[in-house]
Amino acid sequence: MMADALDMVRICDLSEIGEEILKVSLEGHKPLGVTCLDGIYYVFPDTCPHANESLSKGWIEDGRVVCPVHFAEFELGNGAVHNGPSGCARLTFYECEARIDGLYARLTS
Amino acid sequence: MCEHDQCTSHAGQKPDMRPVYPKAGSYPHFAKLVDTQKAQVDRKVFHDQEIYEAELRQIFGRAWLFLAHESQIPEPGDFLRTYMGEDNVIVVRQRDRSVNAFLNSCPHRGNRVCMVDAGKKARGFICNYHGWSFGIDGGLRGTDGKVYDSDATFDKGSIGLTPVAQIASYKGLIFATFDPDAPSLEEFLGDFTWYLDVMLDNDEGGTEFIGGAIKSVIDCNWKFPAENFVGDILHAFWTHQSGAQAILGGGVDLGARYDELAFQASVYGHGIETNLDKVGNTRTLGYPELVDYVFSRQKAMADRLGEVRARMVGAVSSATVFPNFSFLPGQATFRVWHPRGPDKIELVVWTLVNKNMPEHIKELYRKGVMMTFSPAGVFEMDDGENWEYSTRVNQGFVTRQQPLHYALGVGTRDDSRDLPGIIHKGSLNDANQRLFYTRWAEFMRFDNWHDLQNGETAPPQRMAQRQAAE
Protein backbone atom coordinates (compact mmCIF):
# COMPACT_ATOMS: atom_id res chain seq x y z
CA MET A 1 0.00 0.00 0.00
CA MET A 2 2.67 2.45 1.06
CA ALA A 3 4.78 1.77 -2.03
CA ASP A 4 1.80 2.26 -4.35
CA ALA A 5 0.89 5.56 -2.75
CA LEU A 6 4.44 6.79 -3.12
CA ASP A 7 4.29 6.08 -6.86
CA MET A 8 1.48 8.55 -7.28
CA VAL A 9 2.38 11.95 -8.69
CA ARG A 10 0.84 15.18 -7.50
CA ILE A 11 -1.07 16.66 -10.46
CA CYS A 12 -2.53 19.96 -9.25
CA ASP A 13 -4.60 21.66 -6.54
CA LEU A 14 -8.17 20.41 -6.27
CA SER A 15 -9.38 23.98 -6.46
CA GLU A 16 -8.01 24.31 -9.99
CA ILE A 17 -10.24 21.52 -11.30
CA GLY A 18 -13.68 22.26 -12.68
CA GLU A 19 -16.06 20.72 -15.17
CA GLU A 20 -13.96 21.98 -18.09
CA ILE A 21 -10.82 20.12 -19.13
CA LEU A 22 -7.74 21.50 -17.36
CA LYS A 23 -4.40 21.05 -19.11
CA VAL A 24 -1.54 20.18 -16.74
CA SER A 25 2.10 20.00 -17.82
CA LEU A 26 4.46 18.22 -15.42
CA GLU A 27 8.22 17.90 -15.75
CA GLY A 28 9.09 14.53 -17.30
CA HIS A 29 5.53 13.69 -18.36
CA LYS A 30 3.44 14.28 -21.44
CA PRO A 31 0.68 16.93 -20.97
CA LEU A 32 -2.39 15.76 -19.04
CA GLY A 33 -6.07 16.54 -19.14
CA VAL A 34 -7.91 16.77 -15.82
CA THR A 35 -11.59 17.16 -15.09
CA CYS A 36 -14.20 16.47 -12.44
CA LEU A 37 -17.77 15.27 -12.96
CA ASP A 38 -20.27 14.51 -10.17
CA GLY A 39 -17.48 14.60 -7.58
CA ILE A 40 -15.28 12.09 -9.42
CA TYR A 41 -11.89 13.17 -10.75
CA TYR A 42 -10.43 12.04 -14.06
CA VAL A 43 -6.84 12.24 -15.37
CA PHE A 44 -5.94 11.31 -18.95
CA PRO A 45 -3.39 12.19 -21.66
CA ASP A 46 -4.10 15.60 -23.14
CA THR A 47 -3.19 14.34 -26.61
CA CYS A 48 -6.02 12.69 -28.52
CA PRO A 49 -5.20 9.03 -29.30
CA HIS A 50 -6.23 9.64 -32.91
CA ALA A 51 -3.62 12.24 -33.82
CA ASN A 52 -1.90 15.12 -32.06
CA GLU A 53 -4.73 17.37 -31.01
CA SER A 54 -5.08 18.74 -27.50
CA LEU A 55 -8.18 17.38 -25.74
CA SER A 56 -8.12 20.26 -23.25
CA LYS A 57 -9.26 22.44 -26.18
CA GLY A 58 -12.30 20.20 -26.35
CA TRP A 59 -15.05 19.77 -23.79
CA ILE A 60 -17.07 17.34 -21.64
CA GLU A 61 -20.51 16.41 -22.93
CA ASP A 62 -22.85 13.71 -21.58
CA GLY A 63 -20.06 12.04 -19.59
CA ARG A 64 -17.62 12.00 -22.48
CA VAL A 65 -14.45 13.86 -23.44
CA VAL A 66 -15.01 15.38 -26.89
CA CYS A 67 -12.00 16.04 -29.13
CA PRO A 68 -12.27 19.55 -30.60
CA VAL A 69 -11.00 18.60 -34.05
CA HIS A 70 -12.71 15.47 -35.33
CA PHE A 71 -15.20 15.21 -32.46
CA ALA A 72 -14.23 11.70 -31.26
CA GLU A 73 -15.93 11.03 -27.91
CA PHE A 74 -14.27 9.10 -25.07
CA GLU A 75 -16.25 7.79 -22.09
CA LEU A 76 -15.00 9.19 -18.82
CA GLY A 77 -13.41 6.37 -16.81
CA ASN A 78 -13.12 3.53 -19.33
CA GLY A 79 -12.04 5.58 -22.37
CA ALA A 80 -14.29 3.75 -24.85
CA VAL A 81 -14.37 5.66 -28.14
CA HIS A 82 -17.56 6.76 -29.92
CA ASN A 83 -17.90 8.52 -33.30
CA GLY A 84 -14.13 8.50 -33.67
CA PRO A 85 -12.21 8.71 -36.93
CA SER A 86 -11.28 5.33 -38.38
CA GLY A 87 -8.57 3.67 -36.31
CA CYS A 88 -8.96 5.94 -33.29
CA ALA A 89 -7.79 4.13 -30.11
CA ARG A 90 -9.35 4.28 -26.63
CA LEU A 91 -8.32 7.05 -24.30
CA THR A 92 -6.25 5.99 -21.29
CA PHE A 93 -7.50 7.04 -17.85
CA TYR A 94 -5.02 7.06 -14.97
CA GLU A 95 -5.88 5.88 -11.49
CA CYS A 96 -6.21 9.00 -9.39
CA GLU A 97 -6.96 10.05 -5.83
CA ALA A 98 -8.06 13.29 -4.20
CA ARG A 99 -5.99 14.16 -1.11
CA ILE A 100 -6.01 17.14 1.18
CA ASP A 101 -3.07 18.72 -0.62
CA GLY A 102 -4.23 18.04 -4.17
CA LEU A 103 -5.04 15.49 -6.87
CA TYR A 104 -2.64 12.58 -7.27
CA ALA A 105 -2.45 10.09 -10.14
CA ARG A 106 -0.45 7.01 -11.05
CA LEU A 107 0.95 7.90 -14.48
CA THR A 108 1.54 4.39 -15.75
CA SER A 109 2.49 3.60 -19.32
CA MET B 1 -2.50 33.62 -59.04
CA CYS B 2 -4.59 35.62 -56.60
CA GLU B 3 -6.17 39.04 -56.64
CA HIS B 4 -4.75 40.55 -53.46
CA ASP B 5 -2.57 43.63 -53.98
CA GLN B 6 0.23 42.62 -51.63
CA CYS B 7 0.42 39.05 -52.79
CA THR B 8 3.59 38.45 -54.77
CA SER B 9 3.62 34.71 -54.25
CA HIS B 10 7.31 34.10 -53.44
CA ALA B 11 8.33 30.52 -52.77
CA GLY B 12 8.26 29.69 -49.08
CA GLN B 13 5.84 32.48 -48.24
CA LYS B 14 2.62 31.57 -46.49
CA PRO B 15 -0.30 31.56 -48.92
CA ASP B 16 -2.78 34.41 -48.59
CA MET B 17 -6.00 32.66 -47.62
CA ARG B 18 -8.20 35.73 -47.08
CA PRO B 19 -11.69 35.54 -48.61
CA VAL B 20 -12.11 36.91 -52.12
CA TYR B 21 -15.34 38.79 -52.81
CA PRO B 22 -15.73 39.38 -56.54
CA LYS B 23 -16.06 42.91 -57.90
CA ALA B 24 -18.99 43.79 -60.12
CA GLY B 25 -18.59 44.92 -63.71
CA SER B 26 -20.84 46.70 -66.16
CA TYR B 27 -22.83 45.10 -68.96
CA PRO B 28 -24.67 47.93 -70.75
CA HIS B 29 -25.32 45.74 -73.82
CA PHE B 30 -27.23 43.29 -71.60
CA ALA B 31 -29.04 46.12 -69.81
CA LYS B 32 -30.36 47.31 -73.19
CA LEU B 33 -32.20 44.00 -73.63
CA VAL B 34 -34.84 45.49 -71.35
CA ASP B 35 -36.56 48.23 -73.32
CA THR B 36 -38.65 50.28 -70.92
CA GLN B 37 -39.89 52.62 -73.66
CA LYS B 38 -41.36 49.82 -75.74
CA ALA B 39 -42.23 47.73 -72.64
CA GLN B 40 -40.37 44.78 -74.12
CA VAL B 41 -37.91 42.22 -72.79
CA ASP B 42 -35.54 40.48 -75.19
CA ARG B 43 -35.84 36.69 -74.90
CA LYS B 44 -32.06 36.44 -74.81
CA VAL B 45 -32.25 37.07 -71.05
CA PHE B 46 -34.00 33.70 -70.64
CA HIS B 47 -31.55 31.42 -72.43
CA ASP B 48 -28.15 33.03 -73.06
CA GLN B 49 -25.30 31.44 -71.12
CA GLU B 50 -23.17 34.62 -71.06
CA ILE B 51 -26.06 36.59 -69.64
CA TYR B 52 -26.55 33.91 -67.02
CA GLU B 53 -22.88 34.18 -66.00
CA ALA B 54 -23.31 37.94 -65.77
CA GLU B 55 -26.36 37.42 -63.54
CA LEU B 56 -24.29 35.29 -61.17
CA ARG B 57 -21.71 38.08 -60.94
CA GLN B 58 -23.89 41.21 -61.04
CA ILE B 59 -27.00 40.03 -59.19
CA PHE B 60 -26.34 36.92 -57.11
CA GLY B 61 -22.82 38.10 -56.26
CA ARG B 62 -24.13 41.40 -54.86
CA ALA B 63 -27.79 41.41 -53.86
CA TRP B 64 -29.02 40.48 -50.39
CA LEU B 65 -30.34 36.93 -50.80
CA PHE B 66 -32.73 35.05 -48.53
CA LEU B 67 -31.08 32.29 -46.49
CA ALA B 68 -33.37 31.05 -43.75
CA HIS B 69 -35.93 31.90 -41.10
CA GLU B 70 -34.53 32.39 -37.59
CA SER B 71 -36.92 29.69 -36.35
CA GLN B 72 -35.19 27.03 -38.45
CA ILE B 73 -31.96 27.27 -36.46
CA PRO B 74 -32.94 28.28 -32.90
CA GLU B 75 -29.97 26.87 -30.92
CA PRO B 76 -26.17 27.21 -31.20
CA GLY B 77 -24.85 24.67 -33.69
CA ASP B 78 -28.20 24.37 -35.50
CA PHE B 79 -27.56 24.70 -39.21
CA LEU B 80 -28.95 24.30 -42.69
CA ARG B 81 -27.49 24.19 -46.16
CA THR B 82 -28.82 26.45 -48.88
CA TYR B 83 -27.72 28.41 -51.94
CA MET B 84 -26.89 31.97 -52.81
CA GLY B 85 -27.18 31.80 -56.59
CA GLU B 86 -25.20 28.66 -57.40
CA ASP B 87 -22.99 29.04 -54.33
CA ASN B 88 -23.69 26.44 -51.67
CA VAL B 89 -23.64 27.94 -48.17
CA ILE B 90 -23.98 26.67 -44.61
CA VAL B 91 -26.08 28.86 -42.32
CA VAL B 92 -25.28 28.18 -38.68
CA ARG B 93 -26.28 29.62 -35.30
CA GLN B 94 -23.19 30.69 -33.31
CA ARG B 95 -22.49 30.19 -29.61
CA ASP B 96 -23.32 33.86 -28.99
CA ARG B 97 -26.67 33.21 -30.76
CA SER B 98 -25.83 35.36 -33.75
CA VAL B 99 -26.06 33.68 -37.17
CA ASN B 100 -23.30 33.34 -39.71
CA ALA B 101 -23.04 31.72 -43.12
CA PHE B 102 -20.09 30.21 -44.96
CA LEU B 103 -19.32 28.81 -48.38
CA ASN B 104 -19.66 25.04 -48.15
CA SER B 105 -16.24 24.41 -49.63
CA CYS B 106 -13.00 23.37 -47.97
CA PRO B 107 -10.17 25.87 -48.61
CA HIS B 108 -7.81 22.93 -49.20
CA ARG B 109 -9.19 21.15 -52.28
CA GLY B 110 -12.64 22.67 -52.39
CA ASN B 111 -14.73 19.66 -51.42
CA ARG B 112 -18.01 20.21 -49.60
CA VAL B 113 -17.61 20.08 -45.83
CA CYS B 114 -21.34 19.61 -45.13
CA MET B 115 -23.40 17.04 -47.02
CA VAL B 116 -26.71 17.02 -45.15
CA ASP B 117 -29.55 19.51 -45.66
CA ALA B 118 -29.89 20.57 -42.04
CA GLY B 119 -29.08 19.49 -38.52
CA LYS B 120 -29.11 20.31 -34.83
CA LYS B 121 -26.25 21.17 -32.48
CA ALA B 122 -23.39 20.69 -34.93
CA ARG B 123 -19.95 20.77 -33.36
CA GLY B 124 -18.37 21.68 -36.64
CA PHE B 125 -17.88 20.52 -40.20
CA ILE B 126 -15.22 18.02 -41.29
CA CYS B 127 -14.11 17.64 -44.87
CA ASN B 128 -14.32 14.07 -46.16
CA TYR B 129 -11.22 14.48 -48.28
CA HIS B 130 -8.31 15.12 -45.88
CA GLY B 131 -10.04 15.52 -42.54
CA TRP B 132 -9.76 19.30 -42.29
CA SER B 133 -12.11 20.30 -39.52
CA PHE B 134 -13.92 23.62 -39.12
CA GLY B 135 -15.74 25.00 -36.12
CA ILE B 136 -19.24 26.45 -36.39
CA ASP B 137 -17.44 29.81 -36.49
CA GLY B 138 -15.82 28.66 -39.76
CA GLY B 139 -12.30 28.62 -38.30
CA LEU B 140 -9.96 25.73 -39.07
CA ARG B 141 -9.67 23.68 -35.88
CA GLY B 142 -7.26 21.08 -37.19
CA THR B 143 -6.37 18.75 -40.00
CA ASP B 144 -5.51 15.09 -40.03
CA GLY B 145 -3.26 16.14 -37.17
CA LYS B 146 -0.14 14.32 -38.22
CA VAL B 147 1.60 16.09 -41.08
CA TYR B 148 0.66 19.74 -40.75
CA ASP B 149 1.64 19.87 -37.07
CA SER B 150 5.26 19.43 -38.03
CA ASP B 151 5.10 22.00 -40.84
CA ALA B 152 6.28 25.32 -39.40
CA THR B 153 4.89 27.30 -42.33
CA PHE B 154 1.33 26.00 -41.80
CA ASP B 155 -0.72 28.87 -40.41
CA LYS B 156 -3.91 27.30 -39.10
CA GLY B 157 -5.24 30.59 -37.75
CA SER B 158 -5.33 32.20 -41.18
CA ILE B 159 -7.46 29.48 -42.77
CA GLY B 160 -11.20 29.02 -42.56
CA LEU B 161 -14.42 28.61 -44.47
CA THR B 162 -15.24 31.74 -46.48
CA PRO B 163 -17.91 33.76 -44.66
CA VAL B 164 -20.54 35.77 -46.49
CA ALA B 165 -19.59 39.45 -46.63
CA GLN B 166 -22.64 40.62 -44.66
CA ILE B 167 -25.51 38.88 -42.92
CA ALA B 168 -28.60 40.39 -41.29
CA SER B 169 -32.18 39.63 -40.31
CA TYR B 170 -35.42 41.43 -40.98
CA LYS B 171 -38.17 40.33 -38.56
CA GLY B 172 -37.12 36.69 -38.58
CA LEU B 173 -35.92 36.43 -42.17
CA ILE B 174 -32.15 36.03 -42.53
CA PHE B 175 -30.47 37.43 -45.63
CA ALA B 176 -26.83 37.65 -46.70
CA THR B 177 -24.72 39.22 -49.44
CA PHE B 178 -21.30 38.45 -50.90
CA ASP B 179 -20.67 42.16 -51.42
CA PRO B 180 -18.82 43.97 -48.59
CA ASP B 181 -19.91 47.30 -50.18
CA ALA B 182 -23.63 46.47 -50.27
CA PRO B 183 -25.84 48.84 -48.27
CA SER B 184 -27.61 47.51 -45.18
CA LEU B 185 -30.38 44.97 -45.64
CA GLU B 186 -33.00 47.56 -44.69
CA GLU B 187 -31.63 49.99 -47.27
CA PHE B 188 -31.67 47.21 -49.88
CA LEU B 189 -35.30 46.38 -49.03
CA GLY B 190 -36.22 50.07 -48.77
CA ASP B 191 -39.89 50.85 -48.26
CA PHE B 192 -40.75 47.29 -49.23
CA THR B 193 -40.44 46.41 -45.54
CA TRP B 194 -43.84 48.10 -45.16
CA TYR B 195 -45.31 45.33 -47.31
CA LEU B 196 -43.19 42.55 -45.79
CA ASP B 197 -44.68 43.47 -42.43
CA VAL B 198 -48.08 42.33 -43.70
CA MET B 199 -46.87 38.78 -43.21
CA LEU B 200 -44.00 39.27 -40.77
CA ASP B 201 -45.58 41.60 -38.25
CA ASN B 202 -49.35 41.15 -38.15
CA ASP B 203 -49.04 39.63 -34.68
CA GLU B 204 -46.89 40.58 -31.72
CA GLY B 205 -45.51 37.05 -31.31
CA GLY B 206 -43.61 37.02 -34.60
CA THR B 207 -43.45 34.26 -37.18
CA GLU B 208 -41.91 30.86 -37.83
CA PHE B 209 -41.46 28.33 -40.62
CA ILE B 210 -43.20 25.02 -39.95
CA GLY B 211 -43.03 21.54 -41.40
CA GLY B 212 -39.65 21.57 -43.13
CA ALA B 213 -38.99 22.47 -46.75
CA ILE B 214 -40.39 21.04 -49.98
CA LYS B 215 -37.86 20.95 -52.82
CA SER B 216 -38.38 20.46 -56.51
CA VAL B 217 -36.72 21.13 -59.85
CA ILE B 218 -38.40 23.05 -62.67
CA ASP B 219 -36.83 23.38 -66.13
CA CYS B 220 -37.35 27.12 -66.42
CA ASN B 221 -35.36 30.33 -66.22
CA TRP B 222 -35.42 31.70 -62.66
CA LYS B 223 -36.88 35.03 -63.77
CA PHE B 224 -40.17 33.53 -64.97
CA PRO B 225 -41.34 32.52 -61.49
CA ALA B 226 -39.82 35.65 -59.93
CA GLU B 227 -41.70 37.94 -62.35
CA ASN B 228 -44.84 35.86 -61.95
CA PHE B 229 -44.91 36.45 -58.20
CA VAL B 230 -43.83 40.08 -58.46
CA GLY B 231 -46.99 41.09 -60.24
CA ASP B 232 -48.81 38.54 -62.39
CA ILE B 233 -52.29 37.83 -61.05
CA LEU B 234 -53.50 37.94 -64.63
CA HIS B 235 -52.46 34.33 -65.20
CA ALA B 236 -54.66 33.08 -62.36
CA PHE B 237 -57.84 33.50 -64.38
CA TRP B 238 -56.60 31.17 -67.11
CA THR B 239 -53.79 29.01 -65.67
CA HIS B 240 -55.43 28.34 -62.32
CA GLN B 241 -59.09 28.49 -63.29
CA SER B 242 -59.69 24.73 -63.21
CA GLY B 243 -57.81 24.29 -59.93
CA ALA B 244 -59.70 27.17 -58.38
CA GLN B 245 -63.01 25.71 -59.51
CA ALA B 246 -62.09 22.34 -58.02
CA ILE B 247 -61.17 23.83 -54.65
CA LEU B 248 -63.51 26.80 -54.45
CA GLY B 249 -66.37 25.65 -56.58
CA GLY B 250 -65.88 28.87 -58.53
CA GLY B 251 -63.32 30.92 -60.37
CA VAL B 252 -60.64 33.26 -59.05
CA ASP B 253 -62.28 36.32 -57.53
CA LEU B 254 -60.50 39.63 -56.93
CA GLY B 255 -63.29 41.04 -54.80
CA ALA B 256 -66.20 43.40 -55.49
CA ARG B 257 -64.13 46.56 -54.91
CA TYR B 258 -61.31 45.73 -57.34
CA ASP B 259 -61.41 49.05 -59.23
CA GLU B 260 -61.19 51.02 -56.01
CA LEU B 261 -58.73 48.92 -54.00
CA ALA B 262 -56.40 46.78 -56.13
CA PHE B 263 -52.87 48.01 -56.80
CA GLN B 264 -49.28 47.09 -57.49
CA ALA B 265 -46.36 48.49 -55.47
CA SER B 266 -42.68 48.31 -56.41
CA VAL B 267 -39.49 49.34 -54.63
CA TYR B 268 -36.02 48.60 -56.07
CA GLY B 269 -37.53 45.81 -58.17
CA HIS B 270 -39.21 44.16 -55.18
CA GLY B 271 -42.92 44.10 -55.80
CA ILE B 272 -46.34 43.11 -54.57
CA GLU B 273 -49.71 42.97 -56.28
CA THR B 274 -52.74 42.92 -54.04
CA ASN B 275 -56.49 43.26 -54.14
CA LEU B 276 -57.19 44.15 -50.49
CA ASP B 277 -60.01 41.60 -50.53
CA LYS B 278 -59.17 40.19 -47.08
CA VAL B 279 -59.31 36.42 -47.72
CA GLY B 280 -59.12 35.59 -51.45
CA ASN B 281 -55.80 33.72 -51.24
CA THR B 282 -56.59 32.03 -47.94
CA ARG B 283 -59.83 30.72 -49.46
CA THR B 284 -57.88 28.78 -52.10
CA LEU B 285 -56.24 26.63 -49.42
CA GLY B 286 -59.60 24.92 -49.18
CA TYR B 287 -60.32 25.20 -45.44
CA PRO B 288 -63.30 27.42 -44.47
CA GLU B 289 -61.96 27.42 -40.90
CA LEU B 290 -58.86 29.30 -42.08
CA VAL B 291 -61.03 31.92 -43.76
CA ASP B 292 -62.99 32.37 -40.54
CA TYR B 293 -59.72 32.66 -38.64
CA VAL B 294 -58.38 35.43 -40.90
CA PHE B 295 -61.70 37.30 -40.65
CA SER B 296 -61.66 36.96 -36.87
CA ARG B 297 -58.28 38.69 -36.71
CA GLN B 298 -59.17 41.66 -38.93
CA LYS B 299 -59.61 44.14 -36.08
CA ALA B 300 -56.49 43.05 -34.20
CA MET B 301 -54.48 43.23 -37.41
CA ALA B 302 -55.93 46.64 -38.28
CA ASP B 303 -54.96 47.93 -34.83
CA ARG B 304 -51.43 46.76 -35.49
CA LEU B 305 -50.92 47.48 -39.20
CA GLY B 306 -53.74 49.82 -40.20
CA GLU B 307 -56.82 49.04 -42.28
CA VAL B 308 -55.08 48.70 -45.66
CA ARG B 309 -52.48 46.19 -44.59
CA ALA B 310 -54.95 44.23 -42.45
CA ARG B 311 -56.93 43.65 -45.66
CA MET B 312 -53.75 42.42 -47.39
CA VAL B 313 -52.98 39.54 -45.00
CA GLY B 314 -55.32 37.00 -46.60
CA ALA B 315 -55.98 38.74 -49.89
CA VAL B 316 -55.39 37.62 -53.46
CA SER B 317 -51.82 38.81 -53.67
CA SER B 318 -48.27 37.80 -54.56
CA ALA B 319 -44.83 39.26 -53.99
CA THR B 320 -41.15 38.92 -54.88
CA VAL B 321 -38.13 40.32 -53.08
CA PHE B 322 -35.60 40.94 -55.83
CA PRO B 323 -34.06 38.81 -57.16
CA ASN B 324 -35.49 35.37 -56.30
CA PHE B 325 -37.36 35.26 -52.98
CA SER B 326 -41.15 35.16 -53.33
CA PHE B 327 -44.23 34.66 -51.23
CA LEU B 328 -47.99 34.60 -51.31
CA PRO B 329 -49.75 36.46 -48.53
CA GLY B 330 -52.87 34.54 -47.53
CA GLN B 331 -51.49 31.24 -48.71
CA ALA B 332 -48.48 31.63 -46.43
CA THR B 333 -46.07 30.01 -48.86
CA PHE B 334 -42.53 31.43 -49.00
CA ARG B 335 -40.02 30.24 -51.56
CA VAL B 336 -36.67 30.73 -53.27
CA TRP B 337 -36.08 30.07 -56.97
CA HIS B 338 -32.43 29.01 -56.98
CA PRO B 339 -30.91 29.39 -60.45
CA ARG B 340 -29.34 26.27 -61.99
CA GLY B 341 -28.19 27.56 -65.32
CA PRO B 342 -30.36 29.63 -67.66
CA ASP B 343 -32.95 26.88 -68.08
CA LYS B 344 -33.36 25.25 -64.66
CA ILE B 345 -34.26 26.17 -61.08
CA GLU B 346 -34.29 24.41 -57.77
CA LEU B 347 -37.37 25.52 -55.90
CA VAL B 348 -37.47 25.40 -52.09
CA VAL B 349 -40.79 26.11 -50.39
CA TRP B 350 -41.70 26.78 -46.76
CA THR B 351 -44.87 27.60 -44.85
CA LEU B 352 -44.80 30.71 -42.66
CA VAL B 353 -47.20 31.12 -39.73
CA ASN B 354 -47.50 33.33 -36.68
CA LYS B 355 -46.00 31.67 -33.61
CA ASN B 356 -49.13 32.60 -31.68
CA MET B 357 -51.54 30.84 -34.02
CA PRO B 358 -53.41 27.85 -32.53
CA GLU B 359 -51.74 24.57 -33.48
CA HIS B 360 -54.66 23.31 -35.55
CA ILE B 361 -54.62 26.54 -37.59
CA LYS B 362 -50.91 26.15 -38.25
CA GLU B 363 -51.58 22.58 -39.34
CA LEU B 364 -54.27 23.71 -41.78
CA TYR B 365 -51.87 26.23 -43.34
CA ARG B 366 -49.19 23.54 -43.66
CA LYS B 367 -51.58 21.10 -45.33
CA GLY B 368 -53.11 23.83 -47.47
CA VAL B 369 -49.70 24.88 -48.83
CA MET B 370 -48.80 21.26 -49.49
CA MET B 371 -51.96 20.69 -51.49
CA THR B 372 -51.72 23.89 -53.53
CA PHE B 373 -48.11 25.12 -53.77
CA SER B 374 -45.93 22.00 -53.66
CA PRO B 375 -44.70 19.85 -56.59
CA ALA B 376 -47.93 17.86 -56.39
CA GLY B 377 -49.98 20.92 -55.47
CA VAL B 378 -52.89 22.07 -57.58
CA PHE B 379 -51.47 25.49 -58.46
CA GLU B 380 -47.72 24.79 -58.52
CA MET B 381 -48.18 22.19 -61.28
CA ASP B 382 -50.22 24.68 -63.31
CA ASP B 383 -47.40 27.23 -63.14
CA GLY B 384 -44.44 24.94 -63.65
CA GLU B 385 -45.45 23.73 -67.08
CA ASN B 386 -46.03 27.26 -68.34
CA TRP B 387 -42.64 28.46 -67.16
CA GLU B 388 -40.91 25.42 -68.66
CA TYR B 389 -42.32 26.09 -72.11
CA SER B 390 -41.74 29.84 -71.84
CA THR B 391 -38.10 28.89 -71.35
CA ARG B 392 -37.73 25.93 -73.69
CA VAL B 393 -39.21 27.56 -76.79
CA ASN B 394 -36.18 29.83 -76.94
CA GLN B 395 -34.10 26.93 -78.21
CA GLY B 396 -35.79 27.89 -81.49
CA PHE B 397 -33.44 30.31 -83.22
CA VAL B 398 -36.20 32.21 -84.96
CA THR B 399 -38.54 32.02 -82.00
CA ARG B 400 -36.06 33.74 -79.76
CA GLN B 401 -35.77 36.74 -82.05
CA GLN B 402 -39.41 37.58 -81.41
CA PRO B 403 -40.37 40.35 -78.99
CA LEU B 404 -42.29 39.73 -75.78
CA HIS B 405 -45.16 41.95 -74.66
CA TYR B 406 -44.91 43.53 -71.19
CA ALA B 407 -47.18 46.50 -71.86
CA LEU B 408 -50.31 45.82 -69.81
CA GLY B 409 -51.11 48.89 -67.73
CA VAL B 410 -48.74 51.36 -69.38
CA GLY B 411 -49.97 54.75 -68.16
CA THR B 412 -51.59 53.48 -64.96
CA ARG B 413 -49.09 55.06 -62.58
CA ASP B 414 -51.01 56.27 -59.51
CA ASP B 415 -49.35 58.89 -57.31
CA SER B 416 -52.56 59.76 -55.50
CA ARG B 417 -52.55 56.94 -52.97
CA ASP B 418 -50.69 57.25 -49.71
CA LEU B 419 -48.73 54.02 -50.10
CA PRO B 420 -44.96 53.43 -50.09
CA GLY B 421 -43.15 52.72 -53.35
CA ILE B 422 -44.04 53.14 -57.00
CA ILE B 423 -47.79 52.53 -57.19
CA HIS B 424 -49.80 51.43 -60.20
CA LYS B 425 -53.55 51.16 -60.30
CA GLY B 426 -55.07 47.69 -60.46
CA SER B 427 -53.37 44.40 -59.78
CA LEU B 428 -53.99 43.22 -63.36
CA ASN B 429 -50.96 45.03 -64.68
CA ASP B 430 -47.46 44.38 -66.04
CA ALA B 431 -46.11 47.36 -64.10
CA ASN B 432 -44.25 45.43 -61.40
CA GLN B 433 -42.83 43.07 -64.00
CA ARG B 434 -41.53 46.01 -66.02
CA LEU B 435 -39.92 47.38 -62.86
CA PHE B 436 -38.51 43.95 -62.00
CA TYR B 437 -36.74 43.86 -65.36
CA THR B 438 -35.74 47.51 -65.01
CA ARG B 439 -34.07 46.52 -61.74
CA TRP B 440 -32.45 43.59 -63.53
CA ALA B 441 -31.07 46.04 -66.11
CA GLU B 442 -29.79 48.33 -63.35
CA PHE B 443 -27.84 45.42 -61.88
CA MET B 444 -26.42 44.67 -65.33
CA ARG B 445 -25.48 48.29 -66.02
CA PHE B 446 -24.20 49.61 -62.71
CA ASP B 447 -20.99 48.53 -60.98
CA ASN B 448 -21.68 50.52 -57.78
CA TRP B 449 -24.41 50.78 -55.15
CA HIS B 450 -24.88 54.53 -55.37
CA ASP B 451 -26.23 54.18 -58.88
CA LEU B 452 -28.09 51.00 -57.99
CA GLN B 453 -29.99 52.69 -55.17
CA ASN B 454 -30.81 55.89 -57.07
CA GLY B 455 -32.08 54.66 -60.41
CA GLU B 456 -35.47 54.33 -62.00
CA THR B 457 -36.64 51.65 -59.57
CA ALA B 458 -35.91 53.72 -56.45
CA PRO B 459 -38.96 54.72 -54.41
CA PRO B 460 -40.49 58.10 -55.40
CA GLN B 461 -39.19 60.16 -52.48
CA ARG B 462 -35.71 58.88 -53.22
CA MET B 463 -36.05 59.93 -56.84
CA ALA B 464 -37.35 63.33 -55.76
CA GLN B 465 -34.32 63.81 -53.52
CA ARG B 466 -32.01 62.90 -56.37
CA GLN B 467 -33.72 65.30 -58.77
CA ALA B 468 -33.55 68.09 -56.17
CA ALA B 469 -29.84 67.45 -55.74
CA GLU B 470 -29.19 67.67 -59.48
Side-chain angles (χ1 to χ4, degrees), chain B residues 61-122:
Chain B
R62 285 196 289 178
W64 283 90
L65 303 171
F66 176 75
L67 295 183
H69 193 289
E70 297 266 4
S71 63
Q72 293 176 286
I73 47 171
E75 300 298 327
D78 292 356
F79 69 96
L80 57 81
R81 207 164 56 76
T82 183
Y83 286 88
M84 295 170 66
E86 297 240 27
D87 291 291
N88 197 219
V89 295
I90 307 167
V91 188
V92 56
R93 178 83 59 183
Q94 302 296 297
R95 305 229 179 275
D96 67 2
R97 300 205 164 261
S98 65
V99 173
N100 209 344
F102 305 95
L103 287 183
N104 185 14
S105 175
C106 183
H108 182 218
R109 290 294 181 274
N111 187 23
R112 277 188 180 175
V113 299
C114 177
M115 300 292 180
V116 297
D117 286 351
K120 310 285 284 177
K121 289 174 75 174

Side-chain angles (χ1 to χ4, degrees), chain B residues 112-253:
Chain B
R112 277 188 180 175
V113 299
C114 177
M115 300 292 180
V116 297
D117 286 351
K120 310 285 284 177
K121 289 174 75 174
R123 291 162 171 170
F125 305 97
I126 300 174
C127 180
N128 268 349
Y129 202 169
H130 300 88
W132 285 31
S133 171
F134 303 88
I136 60 173
D137 62 354
L140 180 63
R141 285 175 167 278
T143 63
D144 70 329
K146 291 174 178 130
V147 175
Y148 284 105
D149 279 8
S150 55
D151 180 352
T153 68
F154 186 61
D155 183 12
K156 199 163 78 174
S158 73
I159 301 173
L161 300 176
T162 301
V164 296
Q166 300 184 60
I167 187 164
S169 288
Y170 183 75
K171 295 191 179 176
L173 303 184
I174 304 166
F175 293 76
T177 168
F178 287 120
D179 187 353
D181 297 327
S184 70
L185 173 61
E186 294 215 16
E187 163 70 19
F188 174 81
L189 295 171
D191 291 336
F192 201 68
T193 56
W194 195 82
Y195 298 102
L196 290 177
D197 288 354
V198 169
M199 291 304 287
L200 301 179
D201 202 7
N202 68 51
D203 182 84
E204 62 186 1
T207 62
E208 62 186 355
F209 278 178
I210 56 166
I214 304 173
K215 296 185 179 180
S216 59
V217 171
I218 302 177
D219 290 334
C220 71
N221 184 275
W222 65 272
K223 294 185 292 298
F224 279 123
E227 67 148 67
N228 176 284
F229 275 60
V230 88
D232 189 336
I233 189 58
L234 179 66
H235 78 292
F237 293 91
W238 189 265
T239 292
H240 297 310
Q241 193 70 359
S242 63
Q245 280 175 349
I247 287 185
L248 304 173
V252 176
D253 182 0

Side-chain angles (χ1 to χ4, degrees), chain B residues 321-344:
Chain B
V321 174
F322 189 91
N324 64 333
F325 176 54
S326 298
F327 62 97
L328 297 173
Q331 275 136 344
T333 172
F334 281 61
R335 64 256 320 282
V336 175
W337 326 97
H338 293 299
R340 293 287 174 274
D343 55 5
K344 193 183 284 287

Side-chain angles (χ1 to χ4, degrees), chain A residues 45 69 91 107:
Chain A
V69 177
L91 182 63
L107 302 178

